[in-house]
Amino acid sequence: MPRKTTISLIKCDVGSLAGHHVVPKPLITIAEKNLETAKEDSLINSYYVFNVGDDLQLLMIHEKGESNPDIHKLAWNTFKEAANKALELKLYGAGQDLLKTAFSGNIRGMGPGVAEMEIEERGSDPMVVLAADKTSAGAYNLPIFRIFADPMNTAGLVIDPNMAGGFKFEVMDTQENEKVVLKCPEEMYELIALIGTVQRYMISRVWRARDDLICAVGSVTRLSQIAGKYVGKDDPVAIIRAQHGLPAVGEILAPFMHSYLVEGWMRGSHWGPIMPVALKDAKCTLFDGPPRIVALGFQVTNSKIACDDYGKPMIADLFDDPAFALARREALENASMLRHMGEFEPARLGPEEMEYTTLQQILDKLKERFKPA
Ligand code: F6R
Ligand code: MG
Ligand code: MG
């Protein structure tokens, strides 16, 4: 049996400092302590804790497979402990994404976001993880489409014979809770027909078509559907495998040369421009945004994150680069344009999405004052 490695990225808003801004150090420390213990106990082999805005992110490498109850329990207990600390410090929104109380084996559907990928390691396996704050999973539809299906973005689709045959996309219909697989290039137009509707359809998995090699997974939870009301945006994560017959790291990053609009931002109720940033700038400020995205690169080596001589995982902060200054500038220019529109659509989301927000209570109060015209 070939050795199998699993990359699990599980995240949760457990409470934050000064509103929905950042996860403060004491909560990060709890996560690091728990994952270090799990490493000493050989449950996981390697980990990296970080935050993007108010979301605490647990990146774990192990050999237990996807949806493993012990791994999910480790994440759940860590989020609970961090939420308790947030409560004790009276931080804001303590335990915000912990929507269920009793853990029963799988953290999916309980509030936290999950992306997991089990792989057979290649000679060398470069990975990129994406993590965003103040937006929803549909925010990845455009870049993932461009990375794996757009030959104007990914030169390898044209130049590399190993990519001939294209990629297969699993798309979730989050409204009906159904999924479908479409293959590109043959079904590219149909794929766009679905995933252009970013609030409903979301890419959950991508495989290389010629050998079904798994190459991308995304978290596709809709918190509002679990909770039945607005409880913060989903703030999605994704894991993407790179190079050697897959899109190069630079092709994975190329869609972020320009900003584009995503749903989320203030009160999860607006279209906002995505801003690719370094970890140090992964904090939402202006109008609770603009929505931020981080890309981290690492190598998976013998079921671990490749480490330096001192055993420290080597993580590349990929958007920590002036090459993304244009996107950041575009994000601010678009932010300025949208904020000039205030609460008028299309700056604010359309009525279907606003149904899940507190706006509904305001509209309900006005209902009885309407008279036949
Ligand atoms: C968006 C987000 C924030 C809050 C906003 C109001 O995902 O978390 O924009 O929605 O700060 O927060 P509350 O209602 O907690 O005062
Ligand atoms: Mg929050
Ligand atoms: Mg968040």
Side-chain angles (χ1 to χ4, degrees):
M1 278 280 282
R3 181 181 190 154
K4 295 216 169 154
T5 299
T6 305
I7 301 109
S8 297
L9 179 54
I10 309 185
K11 53 116 291 201
C12 186
D13 182 339
V14 287
S16 45
L17 176 69
H20 299 275
H21 175 54
V22 282
V23 182
K25 187 78 180 117
L27 308 193
I28 303 262
T29 304
I30 287 173
E32 283 174 341
K33 167 187 71 74
N34 285 10
L35 298 199
E36 185 59 34
T37 307
K39 191 178 142 193
E40 283 160 13
D41 295 345
S42 305
L43 176 59
I44 58 174
N45 299 338
S46 203
Y47 67 89
Y48 185 66
V49 176
F50 62 104
N51 74 293
V52 177
D54 60 4
D55 291 278
L56 177 58
Q57 310 269 349
L58 312 179
L59 173 62
M60 300 174 282
I61 315 285
H62 55 92
E63 290 160 273
K64 305 273 188 284
E66 294 174 24
S67 294
N68 178 275
D70 295 329
I71 300 290
H72 282 213
K73 193 167 181 202
L74 168 65
W76 181 254
N77 287 346
T78 299
F79 293 143
K80 290 269 280 197
E81 194 180 329
N84 286 340
K85 179 75 180 178
L87 207 57
E88 189 188 306
L89 295 171
K90 285 184 73 177
L91 296 183
Y92 199 66
Q96 181 189 287
D97 288 352
L98 298 172
L99 301 179
K100 302 273 158 86
T101 45
F103 178 77
S104 56
N106 196 311
I107 203 166
R108 276 178 206 275
M110 301 187 76
V114 184
E116 293 191 296
M117 183 192 279
E118 189 181 50
I119 59 167
E120 270 171 37
E121 278 180 40
R122 301 175 294 165
S124 176
D125 237 309
M127 294 279 167
V128 175
V129 298
L130 300 175
D133 190 33
K134 307 291 184 266
T135 186
S136 76
Y140 294 155
N141 283 4
L142 172 62
I144 290 186
F145 168 79
R146 300 204 65 200
I147 293 163
F148 290 102
D150 182 358
M152 303 299 272
N153 179 84
T154 296
L157 291 168
V158 180
I159 293 172
D160 184 351
N162 283 317
M163 278 196 238
F167 290 86
K168 294 196 295 195
F169 298 73
E170 179 185 77
V171 177
M172 288 287 296
D173 176 347
T174 57
Q175 202 166 302
E176 296 297 326
N177 202 22
E178 290 178 344
K179 56 190 181 184
V180 63
V181 175
L182 295 178
K183 175 162 181 311
C184 287
E186 295 87 337
E187 296 181 297
M188 183 193 284
Y189 298 163
E190 291 86 341
L191 179 67
I192 296 174
L194 288 179
I195 64 171
T197 305
V198 294
Q199 290 167 298
R200 174 167 174 177
Y201 298 99
M202 288 156 205
I203 299 170
S204 43
R205 279 183 181 258
V206 181
W207 302 268
R208 185 163 62 188
R210 69 173 167 84
D211 57 0
D212 284 333
L213 186 88
I214 183 74
C215 30
V217 294
S219 62
V220 288
T221 33
R222 298 238 73 188
L223 279 175
S224 55
Q225 283 175 353
I226 299 173
K229 59 174 192 211
Y230 171 71
V231 284
K233 274 290 178 229
D234 315 304
D235 304 337
V237 287
I239 305 170
I240 305 175
R241 215 170 169 186
Q243 305 285 162
H244 198 67
L246 297 179
V249 169
E251 289 164 338
I252 292 169
L253 301 178
F256 300 99
M257 182 175 176
H258 296 286
S259 181
Y260 56 94
L261 298 185
V262 297
E263 62 159 357
W265 207 357
M266 175 56 76
R267 298 175 189 275
S269 304
H270 299 84
W271 292 105
I274 195 109
M275 189 186 237
V277 290
L279 278 173
K280 71 173 171 44
D281 295 319
K283 49 190 180 185
C284 290
T285 51
L286 178 75
F287 201 57
D288 285 358
R292 311 275 164 128
I293 183 166
V294 158
L296 300 182
F298 57 94
Q299 293 286 144
V300 176
T301 305
N302 302 326
S303 301
K304 290 189 181 126
I305 302 172
C307 290
D308 67 11
D309 293 344
Y310 304 96
K312 195 168 162 243
M314 294 188 290
I315 302 286
D317 189 353
L318 296 165
F319 290 145
D320 186 9
D321 182 348
F324 299 96
L326 176 64
R328 293 193 274 265
R329 195 192 148 142
E330 285 175 0
L332 286 180
E333 278 166 3
N334 288 329
S336 161
M337 185 269 285
L338 285 161
R339 293 323 309 143
H340 273 143
M341 293 187 66
E343 285 310 286
F344 289 77
E345 292 181 25
R348 197 175 72 195
L349 298 183
E352 302 90 5
E353 200 58 27
M354 292 307 292
E355 255 177 50
Y356 286 105
T357 71
T358 47
L359 179 73
Q360 205 48 45
Q361 293 166 31
I362 309 283
L363 298 179
D364 285 347
K365 268 210 275 183
L366 288 176
K367 255 189 195 150
E368 71 234 31
R369 291 181 43 195
F370 275 86
K371 302 277 178 293

